[in-house]
Amino acid sequence: MSRKISHHRKHLGQIFLRDPLVVDKILQSASLASQESVLEIGPGRGLLTAALARHTSALYAIEIDAHYAHALQQHFAPATHVHIIQADARFYDYGLLPQPLVVVANLPYSMGMAILNRLLVFRQRLSRLVIMLQKEVALRLLALPNTSAYGALSVYFQYYAAMTHQFDVSRHAFTPVPAVDSTVLTLVPFTVLPWPEYDEPWLFRLVKSAFAHRRKTLRVNLLTAFPTALTRTALATICTDLGLGEDVRAQELHVRQFVRLATALDTLSGRRQG
């Protein structure tokens, strides 16, 4: 099918997987059971779609491009278990689909993080996600503390899901050939968070502030970000109680430590006005 469609919209950041060996490796990583329902995002020319259709009893594929959505609807019309939905995956209501779902997708580079953030809103409906992203972005999601790639993005996604690196994909597996390589990783959303559930907007505001200047200490970044809510003495006391030294930097803290820090800072009056 992919050879019959040459349509391409650069503004959507469209690149199309053309290597069937990569498709096979994605399927191996997904380990689909025949009774599982699958969600694909950005099917494009349908190479992965066709393979997924052979391995599941219910496939939902969301395509933003009307041209490709129409072509896929026509192609898969005889396959009643395949549902092609023309929609923007960044805003789609995934509550309309059955649960649980396994997400298997080559996410569009230009929209990948926005789509992934949207999927996290519906994470309790998703059993796992096997997704392809730009390699650099994937490395940031997977990064461990005390590494150069570890940052606010790492903390955000690791708060919600356990992640596993599956394999890297050469840029030459796509057409047109992009400027970067890709990585396939698996996310398994936590059914129960392994740390106390917290006021997430405040937690992630804190995390973002902590990483604002990587070369500065955690204390300096937080005092700069919340000058009216924190005092040097109060912050020093909290950090000492949590075993965080005076020179500790944000990239040294794992998710659980950020949750503990946010909880401790929450006891300071007026923190939301800081």
Side-chain angles (χ1 to χ4, degrees):
M1 179 181 177
S2 61
R3 292 190 298 270
K4 298 179 183 179
I5 307 175
S6 58
H7 173 86
H8 176 249
R9 291 189 178 180
K10 182 177 287 188
H11 76 277
L12 293 178
Q14 291 175 333
I15 61 168
F16 305 103
L17 185 61
R18 63 183 178 88
D19 189 338
L21 295 179
V22 174
V23 172
D24 289 343
K25 292 186 70 174
I26 292 173
L27 290 175
Q28 291 173 15
S29 298
S31 299
L32 296 172
S34 59
Q35 72 274 15
E36 290 184 304
S37 296
V38 176
L39 168 63
E40 184 189 9
I41 293 172
R45 298 177 179 176
L47 183 65
L48 178 58
T49 315
L52 290 171
R54 294 192 294 269
H55 289 82
T56 180
S57 57
L59 172 61
Y60 301 84
I62 297 179
E63 173 59 52
I64 191 173
D65 191 318
H67 178 92
Y68 284 111
H70 179 68
L72 291 168
Q73 286 166 351
Q74 287 188 317
H75 180 81
F76 287 104
T80 57
H81 69 297
V82 177
H83 310 275
I84 308 298
I85 302 166
Q86 185 192 344
D88 189 332
R90 295 171 296 179
F91 309 105
Y92 186 73
D93 181 2
Y94 295 99
L96 298 173
L97 303 180
Q99 62 172 324
L101 283 168
V102 181
V103 179
V104 184
N106 170 27
L107 296 181
Y109 284 171
S110 61
M111 304 178 186
M113 294 311 300
I115 293 171
L116 195 49
N117 276 315
R118 180 63 175 169
L119 288 169
L120 280 182
V121 174
F122 296 88
R123 59 190 176 277
Q124 297 303 326
R125 304 179 66 89
L126 310 176
S127 59
R128 62 191 180 281
L129 300 84
V130 180
I131 55 173
M132 191 186 306
L133 294 165
Q134 289 171 270
K135 185 175 181 178
E136 180 182 359
V137 174
L139 290 177
R140 290 171 64 193
L141 267 60
L142 294 161
L144 298 175
N146 288 306
T147 62
S148 60
Y150 185 73
L153 196 68
S154 316
V155 175
Y156 178 77
F157 282 95
Q158 292 174 27
Y159 176 86
Y160 289 117
M163 289 181 283
T164 306
H165 175 276
Q166 295 293 344
F167 61 94
D168 296 329
V169 181
S170 167
R171 66 195 69 184
H172 300 290
F174 303 90
T175 183
V177 178
V180 295
D181 295 327
S182 297
T183 292
V184 174
L185 64 157
T186 297
L187 288 82
V188 180
F190 297 123
T191 53
V192 177
L193 293 176
W195 27 75
E197 188 171 355
Y198 198 67
D199 177 357
E200 293 166 3
W202 160 243
L203 170 63
F204 297 127
R205 180 185 172 196
L206 171 70
V207 170
K208 184 177 180 180
S209 299
F211 282 98
H213 303 283
R214 292 181 68 91
R215 293 189 177 184
K216 294 184 178 180
T217 66
L218 175 70
R219 297 189 190 188
V220 168
N221 279 335
L222 294 183
L223 288 170
T224 302
F226 308 106
T228 63
L230 295 177
T231 66
R232 187 177 301 275
T233 300
L235 182 58
T237 299
I238 288 173
C239 287
T240 299
D241 290 345
L242 296 178
L244 303 175
E246 184 175 351
D247 297 326
V248 71
R249 288 170 170 75
Q251 52 266 38
E252 299 176 52
L253 276 65
H254 53 68
V255 178
R256 187 179 298 276
Q257 288 176 301
F258 273 113
V259 174
R260 293 178 62 199
L261 178 61
T263 303
L265 292 177
D266 199 15
T267 63
L268 295 178
S269 61
R271 61 91 174 169
R272 287 182 175 85
Q273 286 74 44

